[in-house]
Amino acid sequence: MGHSKNKVGVIQFTILTIVSMTDGIIMIPTLAAGVGAISLYAWITTTLGAVILAYAFAKCG
């Protein structure tokens, strides 16, 4: 197959990743403050989600 002009580049994926992760990272402490120690699971879930997202983007490129 030839190269497609519609292919997303590294810069676009980087910006997409930063934008999608920023909202969650900023909001988790605020949302988790009301539930106490269980909020550690939210941080673990966010980290796992970021790793999965980074892996998916790496496979696309």
Side-chain angles (χ1 to χ4, degrees):
M1 294 183 100
H3 294 292
S4 174
K5 291 187 185 252
N6 294 332
K7 194 170 186 178
V8 178
V10 174
I11 299 297
Q12 289 88 359
F13 272 131
T14 303
I15 292 170
L16 180 62
T17 303
I18 289 170
V19 169
S20 64
M21 288 173 41
T22 302
D23 289 338
I25 290 171
I26 290 172
M27 291 303 296
I28 281 182
T30 304
L31 298 173
V35 294
I38 200 167
S39 65
L40 180 61
Y41 294 120
W43 284 104
I44 292 170
T45 303
T46 301
T47 303
L48 182 62
V51 170
I52 291 170
L53 186 64
Y55 178 75
F57 287 163
K59 294 302 274 184
C60 288

